[in-house]
Amino acid sequence: MAQDASIAGQPTAAEGLDGVVADWSGDKQAFPVPWGKAMMWIFLLSDTFIFTCFLTSYMNVRISTTATWPDPSKVFALDIAGHDIPLLLIAIMTMVLITSSGTMAMAVNYGYRRDRAKTTALMLATAALGASFVSMQAFEWHKLIVHEGVRPWGNPMGAPQFGSAFFMITGFHGLHVSAGVVYLSVVARRVWTGFYDRKGTYETVEVTGLYWHFVDLVWVFIFAFFYLW
Amino acid sequence: MNDVTASETVHEQKAHGSADQGHTEGQQHPISIYLWIWALLFVFSTFSYLVDYFQLHGMLRWSLIILFMLVKAGFIVAIFMHMRWERLALKFAILIPPLALLILIGLMAIEGEHTFITRWAAFVR
């Protein structure tokens, strides 16, 4: 890989602010990381703007509505043996996504150690946890649409904006998780077949990990602002 | 308890693995740090869940929710996404632009309050 050789050959001695100046100045590549990683970071930056726009519009409609906002603690309660446990399903989904982030971080580590079996297993575990997250989300949507009568244009519990904000934000996040499951499966297959051994680097696993951790990161914000607020 | 034993076993495996091969490619850190962060994310998620479970209200609720959220987000970005070990130039390029969003959030909050007041004045009064 000619690109990698040129990256490795760059002097990156200066640290701190001097390092920023050194990295940005002169006829050289600014970021001494594989291009796939820099591009994934920039994609995630743009995704940050998209999700923040969604959450900001949700904040805006929630502030501006004169109707009462449905209490998410009650809306998302799960009935277990006659008791309403608030946000139980959401808490489980949060734990599942955090666990998947942990397995992904370890997959990246084993990838760099060229441990194909462990990397593949951990990535498939991550994908499986992601798939179970989406399944629980589908269950939640089903419960809200069929049993609670929530629609994008209204619901029996209060402000009509609740439904549109909920479906938009969790739907877009769920789409990211679903795409991530496909992405993980494809890369896991390539790890297993030795594609990255032939390529000479496992950095793709780390780039995939960046995407997956970002999905977890977005959920942290959705959990705080939509479900707990 | 499980986390500690698990991290120790993985740590041993790591020692063997690096002894055999000695690869120094990319981002390599002890597995134990990931297990620690994983455990901490569990703990802080539980904390924020408990904020709702005990039905805390007002400023206490909001400040706790935001605190736990930022701590979790910081751990994910710094450790899981390896931002802590990246060079400052990349940190700046990725972490500074989102600050512009704070202005958007501030403006939309003001706009939302304004809309609320006009609606309240027009329909509710």
Side-chain angles (χ1 to χ4, degrees):
Chain A
M1 302 288 295
Q3 293 160 322
D4 293 339
S6 70
I7 293 164
Q10 285 187 9
T12 52
E15 290 297 329
L17 281 174
D18 287 342
V20 175
V21 176
D23 284 351
W24 278 101
S25 60
D27 274 343
K28 70 194 268 302
Q29 186 181 331
F31 305 118
V33 294
W35 66 268
K37 189 169 166 180
M39 288 300 104
M40 179 53 86
W41 266 117
I42 287 166
F43 166 71
L44 295 181
L45 182 62
S46 70
D47 237 14
T48 306
F49 276 72
I50 290 176
F51 275 108
T52 311
C53 286
F54 285 163
L55 284 170
T56 308
S57 62
Y58 150 70
M59 174 196 74
N60 184 270
V61 296
R62 187 162 172 174
I63 289 174
S64 63
T65 182
T66 47
T68 45
W69 196 261
D71 183 2
S73 182
K74 293 203 181 70
V75 178
F76 301 106
L78 215 57
D79 186 27
I80 302 287
H83 294 281
D84 268 353
I85 318 256
L87 290 180
L88 184 63
L89 185 64
I90 311 304
I92 297 171
M93 285 164 76
T94 305
M95 298 307 182
V96 165
L97 210 57
I98 286 171
T99 306
S100 78
S101 234
T103 53
M104 187 68 232
M106 294 200 290
V108 173
N109 218 272
Y110 282 115
Y112 280 135
R113 290 176 202 170
R114 306 286 162 114
D115 191 332
R116 270 182 21 216
K118 280 207 183 78
T119 309
T120 311
L122 283 164
M123 286 189 83
L124 289 178
T126 308
L129 288 164
S132 68
F133 177 90
V134 177
S135 313
M136 284 188 269
Q137 199 170 40
F139 173 81
E140 191 196 7
W141 275 46
H142 175 264
K143 178 169 170 280
L144 244 63
I145 294 169
V146 177
H147 300 295
E148 319 264 346
V150 178
R151 299 288 182 274
W153 53 86
N155 64 75
M157 292 159 291
Q161 292 93 334
F162 176 82
S164 53
F166 173 77
F167 290 124
M168 188 74 185
I169 294 171
T170 63
F172 207 71
H173 178 263
L175 208 63
H176 273 73
V177 179
S178 310
V181 169
V182 177
Y183 185 16
L184 282 166
S185 311
V186 170
V187 176
R189 187 175 175 278
R190 286 186 156 188
V191 171
W192 181 243
T193 55
F195 180 87
Y196 300 114
D197 283 325
R198 289 194 292 279
K199 195 180 172 191
T201 173
Y202 272 72
E203 69 204 23
T204 309
V205 179
E206 191 187 353
V207 173
T208 314
L210 283 180
Y211 176 83
W212 191 259
H213 295 312
F214 178 78
V215 168
D216 187 22
L217 181 68
V218 170
W219 183 255
V220 167
F221 286 87
I222 295 175
F223 182 59
F225 288 132
F226 200 90
Y227 293 100
L228 294 178
W229 207 255
Chain B
M1 288 301 111
N2 272 334
D3 282 313
V4 177
T5 47
S7 79
E8 276 165 7
T9 34
V10 178
H11 215 85
E12 281 167 22
Q13 287 167 352
K14 184 243 166 186
H16 291 301
S18 53
D20 301 346
Q21 317 180 21
H23 280 293
T24 51
E25 177 196 13
Q27 295 271 0
Q28 287 201 44
H29 312 285
I31 291 279
S32 59
I33 191 169
Y34 298 119
L35 293 170
W36 268 108
I37 296 304
W38 189 354
L40 284 171
L41 288 174
F42 259 93
V43 170
F44 282 106
S45 294
T46 310
F47 282 171
S48 41
Y49 178 69
L50 290 178
V51 168
D52 188 71
Y53 192 82
F54 291 120
Q55 289 293 313
L56 302 178
H57 284 295
M59 282 315 281
L60 180 67
R61 179 190 182 92
W62 297 325
S63 45
L64 282 178
I65 288 174
I66 294 213
L67 175 73
F68 296 144
M69 178 192 80
L70 290 179
V71 168
K72 282 160 64 181
F75 278 140
I76 293 172
V77 174
I79 310 293
F80 278 176
M81 300 174 94
H82 296 145
M83 197 46 123
R84 192 186 146 195
W85 296 285
E86 298 293 354
R87 287 186 57 81
L88 197 57
L90 185 64
K91 284 182 193 165
F92 279 1
I94 302 302
L95 299 181
I96 290 180
L99 295 181
L101 291 166
L102 295 177
I103 297 166
L104 173 74
I105 294 166
L107 288 174
M108 287 303 105
I110 295 167
E111 201 268 352
E113 296 286 357
H114 174 77
T115 311
F116 175 78
I117 290 166
T118 49
R119 280 179 179 168
W120 179 79
F123 304 121
V124 180
R125 180 166 51 107

